Amino acid sequence: MRALNVLRCADAVLAEDTRRTAQLLRAYSIRTPLISYHAHNEAQRRDSLVERLLAGGALALVSDAGMPTVSDPGTDLARAASEVGVRVVPVPGPSAVLAALAGAGLPTDEFTFIGFPPPKSGARLKRLKSFARIRSTLVMFVPPHKLIGTLEDAIVAYGDRRCSVCRELTKVHEEFWRSTLSQAKEEFERRAPRGEITLVIEGAKEGVEMRDDDDNDDDTAGPATSSVEDALRALLASGVSPSEASRTVAKELGIRRRETYSVAQRLSEELKR
């Protein structure tokens, strides 16, 4: 009810998608003017909106799906407004981060929110590796067309940890798919992922040592054998051939393929037993 009152009383509603927000306003007979405000125009509109706020205006901000400013439009506007003394008041609503945590079946006492990992594999893997030693549960947003690549990189960065692929949270087709990273890769290669995805991955276990490539000044030093085997084993278990698994792990870890191929062959034979 508070959110509806805010939308009614505002001088204008900033909407990431005016078509969707218009449907919401019509459903509750709210006639507040709409202003398009999204990732592609927020920089151009920020200053004029701050001026409007300084003149005494009241603006409401609505994102298409999720909490405004949390990997959604509004962060720069909220910062700019607060810097000039304008009061910024959050109106809590559905949050994919907290909804995913609540339903993922993984520890919730501590969590780290990563946001959207980089779209390209090399930068994404580097970013994921930076959280390899974190023991808190990891939460990130993943576009559906990037899910398989993200799962592959997560396997290389973390080994085959437990995870939950959470789709369309708080919506009609909400789904929690819980298993391991390798099984998630196999599942969503079989059926193309759709909708907005929040990926939840368990944190590092106590006592597990993981090599931090960024802190190692010796460029000739290779990754730990256990890390190579964990990554290969996870890919092989998801149905990837030994040749492809060795190629993927060698590329992602920056080592020669001949160093991974024999290991991949051995692990493949072990999995067949």
Side-chain angles (χ1 to χ4, degrees), residues 202-249:
E202 73 173 330
K205 294 181 180 179
E206 187 172 357
V208 175
E209 291 295 328
M210 303 192 74
R211 177 178 176 269
D212 187 346
D213 291 333
D214 293 334
D215 292 338
N216 193 329
D217 293 329
D218 183 2
D219 292 336
T220 63
T225 301
S226 59
S227 298
V228 173
E229 291 194 359
D230 286 346
L232 287 169
R233 187 176 286 108
L235 289 172
L236 292 168
S238 69
V240 176
S241 69
S243 177
E244 181 62 28
S246 65
R247 183 184 299 109
T248 299
V249 173

Side-chain angles (χ1 to χ4, degrees), residues 66-138:
M67 186 72 180
T69 77
V70 180
S71 292
D72 264 320
T75 302
D76 288 347
L77 179 60
R79 182 190 303 114
S82 62
E83 287 176 351
V84 295
V86 174
R87 185 184 179 198
V88 178
V89 181
V91 181
S95 167
V97 176
L98 297 181
L101 274 171
L106 295 171
T108 60
D109 51 338
E110 291 185 34
F111 69 92
T112 298
F113 177 55
I114 298 176
F116 282 99
K120 294 187 177 180
S121 181
R124 183 171 58 227
L125 178 62
K126 183 176 181 180
R127 175 110 171 112
L128 294 178
K129 281 183 176 181
S130 69
F131 297 96
R133 294 181 179 178
I134 301 295
R135 292 177 182 171
S136 58
T137 299
L138 305 176

